[in-house]
Amino acid sequence: MTKLTLISSAIFSVLCSQSALAATVTGKVMDDKNQPIKNASIHVHGKNQSVKSNDLGEFAIDIDANSQLHISKDNYIDSRIAVTESSNNLSVSLKPTSVETVVVYASALHKNSLEMISPVSVLSGDELRNKSKPTLGETLKGLPGVNASYFGPVSSSPIIRGLDGPRVKITQNGLDASDASRIGPDHATSSDSLAAEQIEVLRGPSTLLYGSGAIGGVVNVVDNRIPTSNIDELTGAAEYSHDTVSNSNTVAAKLETGNEGFNFHFDGTKRSGDDYQTPTFTIADDDGDVETESSVENTFIDSETLNFGTSYVGDHLTIGFSYGSIDTGYGIPGHEHHHDHEGETEEEHAEHEDEAAEEPVYAHLEQDRWQGIVSYALHNNWIETINLRVGYTDYSHSEIEDGEIGTTFKNKTTEARLNVEHKFADWHGMMGYHYSDSDYDAIGEEAFTPASVTTTNALYLLEEREFGDVTIELGARVEDYKIESQITAHEHSHGEVEIDHSDEETIGYNESFTNLSASAGAIWQYKPGHSIATSISHSERAPLSAELLSNGLHIATGTYELGLGYNIEDNEAHFEPENIKQETSTNLDLSFRRFSGDFGYTVNFFYNDIKNFYFQENTGLVYDEEDGLESAIGAHDDAVAVYQFTSKDAELYGIEFDAHYQITSSAMVKVFGDSTRAKLKDDEGNLPRIPANKLGSELQYDLGDLQLTLTGTHYFDQNDVTAFETQTDGYTLFDAQANYQLDLGAVDAQLYINVDNITDELGFVHSSFIKDKAPLPGRNFRFGVRGYF
């Protein structure tokens, strides 16, 4: 309470010091041929106030102190102009660009995608809606440097530059998604791409703002649950689509309205689908018999989301809150239990098989999420904006076995982020405080990770300054990371003797880490529409509870998992969490960009040197329910491999690129691709489940109201594997889209058809834990209609 009182007093004292001056600035927005630009957005930097230019390119906007105007328009390079109360009759010239410029909300300093030092991709508008899939991983996997973990189409998380899980932070409007997707690949992410306004992918370390875990990158899902701009009339959208490959139907709707600064938002989606179809493939069952399949069983989905939000947006003050609900049921493919059938008759064995077939394991995901925002723009001598975001998430993931709840994973997260945007002399930046408390629990047969409470408190600073055509950016973060848990330890018994639970010992575990991160980068706009960006960063990450404390059977992956805190001696696992070192990453990025004229490109090179890299390594042991841990040689068929988290030095490096050429005013061709090499140092081998390299091309053609797109992507063979992995053959996917605009007066409508995997190619995802059991979907026709008013 004392902390809150001090913060409130500090904010109140600053609020009272703001200037009361006011003036109107006028101007005109023109293109490079001195023609007026209609509907350009003119925004006062650090405030929520903005206006649009009229048919003649003219605008007028109120300011109350020396300010900066941000002028933007699709297909033009943004412009920023310093103004005072006496500025008038401004002439603003925007140069055309060959790519769309989008403000990146995750950048914190209002940068657009062309000004970012770190490589970034943004999906928004019709492109996002056309590529949207039920999971984030499948939605984003076509972007350079991005792949998917793929535990079937209903559970697939993003992989960035070969890194996934805790190293890729998934956020919603800048706050952690707070689900359990980092506990296991069969746990779906709770962020819904269908309701998103845009999705931002920041490659490379983003630890300064988003926490020590984000050494691979950040995926930020932006929606308008809390409107931050005034809505003056009733607007809405609705969409219906049908997918043939899984007989799924999706309905989505959105409504927004406002009056005199008060704004309201609603959106909802509903999706239901059956098991998805695949090209014919073969799979070996537990008895070694080979079966032919043309679908992946237990991949149904039934999902509903509802989001409500409201806000008040004034000249200086914005305040709002939102509530979101997710209720999803989905099948978990490859989620099999191991039973000892020794001594059974054929009839009993068949009965067990029939029961397993009749009662597939599925997941029930529920989430309630509250978010709030308070923002105040001051425009005094040094503080521009004070922004506070808070969130509370109550997440539950239950796995239903034989009609009953077998395991429940819960996560309750409280998060707060206080940012103060400021300007000191020629430096513009942000300082902030970040608090997060995660209360995780798991109850049931698959509770292989014990309950834990993880608390972080962090301070960070991000500063930038322009030196002519060069902008430099410096940042630092210090984070106190604390994890608390109660560990139940017992010795594994052997033979026919049951474990005596009275001998179990409860060990209180309480550990703190101090994570330090720092970065330095620069971007050089050496000529209009051309830039070179480079950055170097140092990041420290403490282990998550799953990496540190796991001890149990993880049926979804078919493994027995042990954390870093355990030591194996004489086939016994002992909890000895001593000398746990932080994972330390040193990352170098170099980017070359061109975005003017008919030809444009982005080429990113990266190198990541990681000390004490946490990963799962096969111990050569297996786990059997009767015998505990034992050698894999001569073990029972039902025994599962034992994987333990370990830490070794590793390096990851590669390239990602995206180039486009405007052939004519109606035709554009794109080429994209990526390559990632990930291995342990000292010739100790490769890292497991690293995605295959890809190379693709896309042709876009406009015929008036009809837009056509054809995309081909080749995924190469993946031969860089560990001793316990198998190689994965390459494959090529062709996709097509056709969108037709309808003129229905006040309603802007669009009919579309997407054809995915046109050639019905059989493809296996190397990064998937169940790649042999769950190939990619076969040929799919997606029909849909969407409308806006």
Side-chain angles (χ1 to χ4, degrees), residues 184-211:
D186 57 321
H187 295 190
T189 60
S190 61
S191 297
D192 185 4
S193 62
L194 294 174
E197 299 284 333
Q198 69 183 46
I199 302 178
E200 306 163 350
V201 180
L202 280 67
R203 302 174 186 84
S206 301
T207 59
L208 297 179
L209 296 178
Y210 297 101

Side-chain angles (χ1 to χ4, degrees), residues 383-440:
I383 294 181
E384 295 183 327
T385 305
I386 298 174
N387 185 289
L388 174 65
R389 283 188 177 271
V390 295
Y392 176 77
T393 303
D394 188 350
Y395 169 93
S396 175
H397 169 108
S398 297
E399 296 184 354
I400 315 300
E401 307 172 26
D402 299 326
E404 298 181 355
I405 296 177
T407 309
T408 297
F409 301 86
K410 297 182 178 181
N411 192 26
K412 296 182 179 180
T413 302
T414 303
E415 187 175 10
R417 185 186 300 278
L418 176 66
N419 293 329
V420 179
E421 189 173 353
H422 57 262
K423 189 171 184 179
F424 298 118
D426 294 325
W427 289 89
H428 172 228
M430 178 175 292
M431 54 185 175
Y433 166 71
H434 183 202
Y435 168 82
S436 176
D437 180 87
S438 176
D439 187 350
Y440 165 81

